Amino acid sequence: MPAIVGFKAVEESRYPFYIPNFFLGYTRKSEEERRSDFESTLKTFIAKYLTEWFKYMRIEKGGVKDEDDFLLKLSAISDDISKSNIFSAVVSKKNIATFNVPANKSVFNITKIGDCLGIKLESEHKGGMAAIESMRTDMDTIFRPQLFMESISSWIPLSGRRESNSNDEIVDFSHMIDQLRISLPSAIINGKGEVADGIVGAYKESGRKEFCVGDYCGVPIYARITHGENLDKTNIRSTNYYSNDVRIWRTGNVQNLQGLEYRFKDSQDLALVLSVRNSLPSWSSIDSIEDNFKNHEEQWRMKAVAAMINTQLQCMLMRPYINSQKKQK
């Protein structure tokens, strides 16, 4: 059977969810209209969130201890939002704010990410997370939370040929790039020499360094070489190996033979990783994210392209197997 295509989706650590279309038409409105829309929309979201939390508590815990108190705090959401002045912090100052939800004692971290609102529940709040997950599956919810992805990756074995009386593996990147171009017909892959030099150079630097090899439907595709994604970080082959010794080891592990052929002395679990990622700047400069940045559109395209890459890589690995089965008949 052919090798299995690896897959990994990494959520943004600070804001694992975002609410799309939260700031729809934002730039065309006055400051007062923006405030009114923001507070009204946030109220709608929090009210729906608490409704789902209440359902969870009723099913899993037999209900809330004091329903009258819960309803009282639910009805005060609008005042809580206005008094918190969260609009000023999140929109006017482009900062990060927290919003306390007294009705179920949960706390949201909130920030503006282009046309979307980034959200995260502070600490472990099992009922709150269950409520958000329920909202994610509710197609009728206007502001349905979406998973906010940092990157989505797929990887395939980077196989070559073995030399006689040697464990070295020789990888022909020209052949590998040809296979990618055939299997990902809608992708625009850069020149072979540029791609091979770029990903081998990135490999020598560290296990996480990537190189942009082209784009797929306008979404940049990044590539890197790995020795396995799940190795312990104390293993020098690991993607997460931190010591500077990794540069010395990797530089000595790969050697250019001729053209686009490279010899790897240690080829254990050698794989090629293809990734797509969001284009956000560093979180340390979140105020540099433009108001008209279409985060939801980018996230949708990322996920669609990642799904296509993974599917087409699986087809690429399956093709030789199917051909071999035909020959045996």
Side-chain angles (χ1 to χ4, degrees):
M1 290 295 291
I4 296 173
V5 177
F7 180 82
K8 185 175 184 180
V10 179
E11 298 171 9
E12 281 285 357
S13 57
R14 292 187 64 176
Y15 294 93
F17 303 100
Y18 73 91
I19 305 175
N21 304 319
F22 198 92
F23 297 96
L24 190 65
Y26 168 81
T27 56
R28 298 191 298 271
K29 298 176 180 178
S30 68
E31 184 78 4
E32 191 56 41
E33 287 174 326
R34 294 173 187 173
R35 179 186 294 274
S36 177
D37 283 358
F38 177 88
E39 292 182 354
S40 175
T41 306
L42 186 59
K43 173 190 173 183
T44 301
F45 169 75
I46 296 296
K48 178 64 176 176
Y49 159 75
L50 286 173
T51 300
E52 295 303 320
W53 175 81
F54 182 82
K55 292 178 183 177
Y56 167 84
M57 292 297 291
R58 186 174 56 192
I59 295 170
E60 300 295 330
K61 307 293 183 180
V64 298
K65 292 181 179 179
D66 189 337
E67 289 193 10
D68 290 338
D69 181 65
F70 171 77
L71 292 173
L72 184 65
K73 290 175 179 176
L74 179 63
S75 64
I77 291 174
S78 185
D79 288 339
D80 292 339
I81 291 174
S82 297
K83 291 176 183 177
S84 69
N85 202 24
I86 194 170
F87 171 83
S88 177
V90 171
V91 180
S92 300
K93 298 179 182 178
K94 291 189 176 182
N95 212 328
I96 299 165
T98 59
F99 180 71
N100 295 281
V101 185
N104 69 348
K105 298 180 180 178
S106 60
V107 180
F108 278 102
N109 285 331
I110 298 175
T111 195
K112 185 178 186 298
I113 306 170
D115 60 354
C116 301
L117 191 74
I119 59 172
K120 180 181 181 179
L121 271 175
E122 274 194 2
S123 70
E124 293 292 331
H125 199 287
K126 190 174 180 179
M129 282 302 303
I132 290 179
E133 290 297 334
S134 178
M135 292 174 71
R136 284 185 58 220
T137 62
D138 185 356
M139 300 301 292
D140 294 328
T141 299
I142 298 177
F143 301 102
R144 184 164 62 98
Q146 309 277 314
L147 280 177
F148 190 15
M149 307 312 302
E150 175 184 327
S151 65
I152 309 174
S153 305
S154 297
W155 58 92
I156 55 174
L158 190 57
S159 57
R161 68 177 190 274
R162 290 289 177 97
E163 289 188 319
S164 57
N165 302 320
S166 172
N167 289 324
D168 296 358
E169 185 127 5
I170 297 175
V171 176
D172 182 352
F173 282 93
S174 178
H175 175 72
M176 181 269 292
I177 294 167
D178 282 340
Q179 292 301 303
L180 288 178
R181 286 174 172 168
I182 292 170
S183 300
L184 281 65
S186 297
I188 300 173
I189 308 295
N190 297 338
K192 291 183 180 181
E194 178 187 351
V195 171
D197 290 345
I199 58 178
V200 171
Y203 169 80
K204 292 178 181 179
E205 284 294 314
S206 74
R208 281 291 173 192
K209 191 173 179 63
E210 298 176 315
F211 180 77
C212 184
V213 297
D215 73 82
Y216 200 146
C217 301
V219 176
I221 306 174
Y222 298 90
R224 59 186 171 86
I225 301 170
T226 181
H227 285 272
E229 292 292 275
N230 301 311
L231 295 175
D232 186 282
K233 66 181 181 181
T234 60
N235 187 325
I236 201 167
R237 298 181 186 86
S238 171
T239 300
N240 297 313
Y241 192 83
Y242 295 121
S243 170
N244 286 332
D245 294 343
V246 72
R247 289 190 179 91
I248 299 172
W249 182 83
R250 286 174 176 265
T251 300
N253 190 51
V254 63
Q255 174 191 3
N256 181 232
L257 294 180
Q258 57 180 357
L260 300 183
E261 288 191 342
Y262 286 82
R263 173 189 283 120
F264 289 83
K265 296 179 181 178
D266 183 340
S267 60
Q268 182 177 342
D269 298 322
L270 202 64
L272 177 72
V273 183
L274 297 181
S275 302
V276 294
R277 57 178 55 255
N278 68 43
S279 62
L280 291 178
S282 167
W283 284 110
S284 61
S285 58
I286 196 167
D287 60 344
S288 65
I289 301 174
E290 297 293 334
D291 288 334
N292 60 358
F293 172 59
K294 297 180 179 179
N295 180 69
H296 179 53
E297 180 180 328
E298 180 181 87
Q299 286 281 308
W300 185 89
R301 292 172 65 203
M302 267 181 61
K303 293 168 186 176
V305 167
M308 289 190 289
I309 289 175
N310 187 268
T311 301
Q312 290 167 335
L313 289 180
Q314 292 189 52
C315 293
M316 184 177 80
L317 294 188
M318 190 61 122
R319 194 177 298 116
Y321 172 75
I322 293 174
N323 291 337
S324 69
Q325 294 300 299
K326 287 180 181 178
K327 291 178 181 178
Q328 293 176 16
K329 290 181 178 180

